[in-house]
Amino acid sequence: MPVQAGLLSPLFWLGRPRLERRLTEKCVELTTGGNASLREAMKPACKQFAKPVAKCLIKQTEVSGRAFGVIVEILRGEFGDDSEVVIKLCSASIFNLPANTFMDVPLIDILDYWKRNSKRINLKGIKVLKLDKFLGSSEHSN
């Protein structure tokens, strides 16, 4: 699987601007609930959230085994389970937290955590986290 993920990685880098836009849109959608005035207020925070997550997403897919699933979701214009897992892993990495910190946390609560802890964001030392640590067991790493 790492070879396959490595081959798919350039597609992510080429599609990074689209990925950032999609993450920003999803963030705005999740945080505003359709409220138009809140939508404009959330755009800057969501853009700030999307940039490092998109970079981490690209790196994370090479080791998570979810690259193909994420690419399929992007091509379909969907935001699914594979993307959510990688975003949760990346959020933990960006805040230097254990991999499984956000496993059961809804994305809207993660965005709120980003807003409250924006000074703790580590964009330079983003590390790739192991999926089995996210899942809490090495049984799932096959």
Side-chain angles (χ1 to χ4, degrees):
M1 189 64 132
V3 172
Q4 181 184 11
L7 293 174
L8 296 174
S9 181
L11 294 174
F12 280 105
W13 289 107
L14 288 172
R16 189 174 121 213
R18 181 177 179 193
L19 179 60
E20 286 179 14
R21 282 192 304 276
R22 184 70 182 122
L23 289 170
T24 300
E25 290 168 11
K26 189 61 177 179
C27 170
V28 169
E29 179 185 316
L30 287 170
T31 57
T32 63
N35 182 323
S37 60
L38 188 56
R39 184 173 182 78
E40 289 305 311
M42 287 305 299
K43 276 186 183 178
C46 286
K47 276 187 174 184
Q48 182 182 2
F49 172 79
K51 283 186 179 252
V53 170
K55 288 178 186 176
C56 184
L57 177 65
I58 293 165
K59 292 178 182 180
Q60 188 66 52
T61 56
E62 291 188 357
V63 297
S64 69
R66 294 193 174 240
F68 184 73
V70 171
I71 284 183
V72 168
E73 290 171 3
I74 290 169
L75 291 175
R76 289 182 179 167
E78 297 173 353
F79 187 88
D81 294 340
D82 290 311
S83 300
E84 185 172 340
V85 165
V86 175
I87 286 174
K88 289 179 177 185
L89 281 166
C90 288
S91 294
S93 173
I94 288 168
F95 285 104
N96 288 318
L97 297 170
N100 64 354
T101 300
F102 296 114
M103 184 173 84
D104 297 321
V105 179
L107 287 177
I108 194 162
D109 294 342
I110 295 171
L111 294 172
D112 187 51
Y113 185 87
W114 274 76
K115 282 190 333 192
R116 289 190 329 265
N117 296 282
S118 61
K119 292 180 180 159
R120 293 184 48 212
I121 295 174
N122 170 27
L123 299 180
K124 294 185 180 183
I126 296 174
K127 59 186 177 266
V128 176
L129 300 174
K130 300 288 185 199
L131 185 60
D132 60 338
K133 290 185 180 182
F134 175 77
L135 297 170
S137 168
S138 61
E139 293 175 29
H140 300 285
S141 63
N142 292 342

